[in-house]
Amino acid sequence: PTTTKFPLATGLPPKFVWGVATASYQIEGAASEDGRTPSIWDTFSAVPGAVVNGDNGDVACDHYHRMPQDVALMKSLGVDSYRFSVAWPRIQPHGSGPINPAGMAFYERLVDELLENGIAPWVTLYHWDLPQELEDAGGWPHRDTAYRFADYAMMVFDKLQDRVDTFTTLNEPWCSAFLGYNVGVHAPGRKDFDASLAATHHLLLGHGLATQRMRAAETRPHTYGITLNMGTADPAGDTQADRDAARRADGMGLRLYLDPLRKGEYPADMVEDLTARGSAMPVQDGDLEIISTPFDVLGVNFYFGQDFAGTDAEGSTHEANGDPVVRAVLPDTPKTAMGWPITPERFTQLLVRLHHDYPGLPMVITENGAAFDDQPDASGYVADDDRTEYLSTHIAAVAAAREQGADIRGYFAWSLLDNFEWAEGYAKRFGIVHVDYETQERTPKQSALWFRASIAGMRAS
Ligand code: GBH
């Protein structure tokens, strides 16, 4: 296989951190081994109709049993770092109480294997697999879950802080809160707007509590962070209703998280909107000080940007994500297999905007990538021109944002492997490495070969 028809990426410095990312439930399998208990995703996957084809993470990529080979694969790609998440139900099967040493041992082996291969581990403490017992006790809308999360984070931190430099608390709390508790397309599948607001607040509180406790207990300096999913929200047309819709979409999706984290307050216009709807964030005295505790790196997950409209052509309003007047309008561009528009210029727009609106915060792209309808040849090789082009244009967008002053230190491709794509099951493939789910064979796609050559080229430049 050759990748020569795609010019290699350029424009990022030799010290830039290049990595690949995954998440526990999406790749590990071994769902009931070594004391792991069900998470909300095991439960949700079993609900008829919740996941495409009735798929679940029982086996996934069988990474739990193939970890050393998967680390060797990463090494062959030449990455500096690997972003993975720790499954809470392996560490603390009941969501509270003592550590489960057998579950913890897997991550200790993984970290050791990475270090032996010269790959820096980048730990995400929560990528959506809440122990089911905690959901039964109320889940993220219940304040106690924030304190349970901080306890769990400390168990992992105590075991790994000697060898791991970077700990990020949450992956995409917006998805946990709104897709999980309001839209209901992610676990636990609830549809309750006020519950999703409470979940948001308690996720942020858990982030702050865990960050404070880790920093207080550190025996050497670490980098602490949080990863948010972010897009852009432009008005679909030049009307007040559309501008208002874009403001609200940006408010619910981005400012509702970054303002309390960085400015110690929820955005005033959102508080006003929520009050008008009879809703509120369940803030208690002192919470915003905890939530705004300093952290060191913002993880940015970017897939696409959108426009927003207040009304449609007939003048009627629609509900989207619990918001009565915001309607997403997909930009008129080519789409990925997820139906997501391909908008690299909006990636630059987002990063430059973050640099201006939330200054002084180094950023790392913790996820970026795309699903396409891969066609493997007889040997399993996928000549994924579409994904190679997606990565190429989006890495160029990062370089462009840096030229405009944004402090971006690294880029992790989503994902190392094809994997369990949540509600889409195994039907959607985001990997730069193809996985044959019958044989569990891994075959690097063209995009992986292009990524490897690009990294090597920029490191040498
Ligand atoms: C990430 O979620 C996840 O962290 C990762 O586990 C997952 O596999 C990967 O992306 C690919 O999906 O249309 O209203 O939902 C990204 C989820 C998708 C959330 C795009 C924001 C746009 C707004 N994001 N979505 S909406």
Side-chain angles (χ1 to χ4, degrees):
T2 168
T3 63
T4 48
K5 72 175 153 175
F6 288 92
L8 299 182
T10 55
L12 291 156
K15 286 239 150 32
F16 201 71
V17 174
W18 294 99
V20 285
T22 65
S24 47
Y25 191 68
Q26 295 184 271
I27 65 163
E28 286 177 356
S32 38
E33 269 176 62
D34 293 335
R36 182 186 181 278
T37 56
S39 76
I40 55 175
W41 269 97
D42 299 83
T43 308
F44 186 70
S45 301
V47 175
V51 175
V52 170
N53 296 325
D55 290 341
N56 61 49
D58 284 357
V59 177
C61 306
D62 197 32
H63 169 73
Y64 196 80
H65 299 119
R66 294 165 193 269
M67 180 272 284
Q69 297 94 298
D70 286 340
V71 173
L73 180 61
M74 293 171 215
K75 186 180 168 99
S76 78
L77 296 179
V79 296
D80 302 301
S81 186
Y82 172 49
R83 174 178 181 254
F84 63 92
S85 76
V86 176
W88 188 346
R90 292 196 193 280
I91 306 303
Q92 212 184 13
H94 303 288
S96 61
I99 192 167
N100 170 33
M104 189 66 229
F106 171 72
Y107 299 101
E108 296 181 81
R109 290 197 303 276
L110 169 58
V111 164
D112 289 342
E113 191 76 23
L114 289 166
L115 294 174
E116 276 165 31
N117 286 280
I119 301 169
W122 177 296
V123 170
T124 301
L125 290 163
Y126 184 75
H127 198 129
W128 306 354
D129 37 7
L130 185 73
Q132 181 60 41
E133 279 191 42
L134 287 185
E135 178 58 28
D136 296 341
W140 285 110
H142 183 50
R143 187 177 171 91
D144 186 59
T145 304
Y147 293 87
R148 300 284 69 76
F149 173 71
D151 286 351
Y152 148 72
M154 288 310 292
M155 288 180 173
V156 177
F157 186 74
D158 282 343
K159 294 287 185 209
L160 298 182
Q161 73 145 318
D162 59 339
R163 287 160 286 171
V164 170
D165 293 335
T166 306
F167 288 88
T168 57
T169 52
L170 308 173
N171 177 72
E172 303 189 347
W174 179 89
C175 291
S176 297
F178 285 93
L179 299 181
Y181 291 94
N182 179 51
V183 188
V185 295
H186 280 187
R190 288 175 55 185
K191 293 184 177 154
D192 175 348
F193 181 66
D194 286 330
S196 70
L197 293 181
T200 294
H201 185 66
H202 298 139
L203 283 153
L204 291 171
L205 185 63
H207 155 81
L209 291 166
T211 303
Q212 288 185 340
R213 285 183 58 188
M214 288 190 287
R215 215 188 277 282
E218 70 182 7
T219 56
R220 62 190 190 95
H222 295 81
T223 299
Y224 302 98
I226 184 170
T227 279
L228 304 178
N229 57 291
M230 290 182 281
T232 55
D234 288 309
D238 188 21
T239 65
Q240 189 52 42
D242 288 2
R243 281 191 289 276
D244 212 39
R247 174 186 61 76
R248 284 167 181 250
D250 183 61
M252 290 303 276
L254 191 150
R255 291 183 289 116
L256 196 64
Y257 296 84
L258 268 176
D259 278 21
L261 286 167
R262 291 295 288 171
K263 302 177 179 173
E265 58 191 18
Y266 286 109
D269 61 319
M270 299 316 297
V271 171
E272 203 178 298
D273 278 0
L274 293 175
T275 306
R277 297 167 65 184
S279 295
M281 309 299 287
V283 181
Q284 296 188 9
D285 277 357
D287 285 1
L288 286 160
E289 284 73 47
I290 295 168
I291 291 170
S292 61
T293 194
F295 60 95
D296 309 305
V297 63
L298 175 64
V300 176
N301 289 1
F302 178 85
Y303 290 91
F304 62 96
Q306 311 179 74
D307 298 326
F308 291 89
T311 59
D312 64 19
E314 283 76 51
S316 28
T317 61
H318 297 259
E319 201 218 33
N321 297 341
D323 198 309
V325 297
V326 168
R327 187 167 58 91
V329 179
L330 294 185
D332 184 19
T333 67
K335 309 280 190 296
T336 71
M338 298 290 280
W340 295 351
I342 300 173
T343 60
E345 64 298 327
R346 294 177 192 227
F347 195 11
T348 306
Q349 177 189 331
L350 169 71
L351 293 167
V352 172
R353 179 265 177 112
L354 291 172
H355 168 62
H356 288 294
D357 288 0
Y358 302 94
L361 188 56
M363 294 181 267
V364 165
I365 311 309
T366 40
E367 288 181 26
N368 177 240
F372 287 104
D373 185 16
D374 291 340
Q375 304 293 337
D377 68 15
S379 74
Y381 180 68
V382 179
D384 54 346
D385 288 357
D386 34 25
R387 186 176 292 99
T388 309
E389 187 175 350
Y390 182 97
L391 293 180
S392 162
T393 53
H394 286 74
I395 289 170
V398 173
R402 276 176 53 102
E403 271 165 33
Q404 295 176 56
D407 182 6
I408 305 155
R409 311 265 177 102
Y411 176 99
F412 289 78
W414 183 271
S415 179
L416 172 67
L417 301 171
D418 291 335
N419 61 46
F420 177 75
E421 177 49 32
W422 307 115
E424 304 294 332
Y426 298 99
K428 295 288 187 284
R429 293 174 177 271
F430 276 87
I432 60 172
V433 173
H434 177 262
V435 176
D436 178 330
Y437 293 112
E438 303 276 307
T439 63
Q440 291 293 349
E441 196 179 340
R442 278 84 158 124
T443 310
K445 302 177 192 177
Q446 172 185 263
S447 52
L449 305 180
W450 175 88
F451 193 59
R452 172 171 69 188
S454 292
I455 297 172
M458 282 184 281
R459 211 177 268 135
S461 67

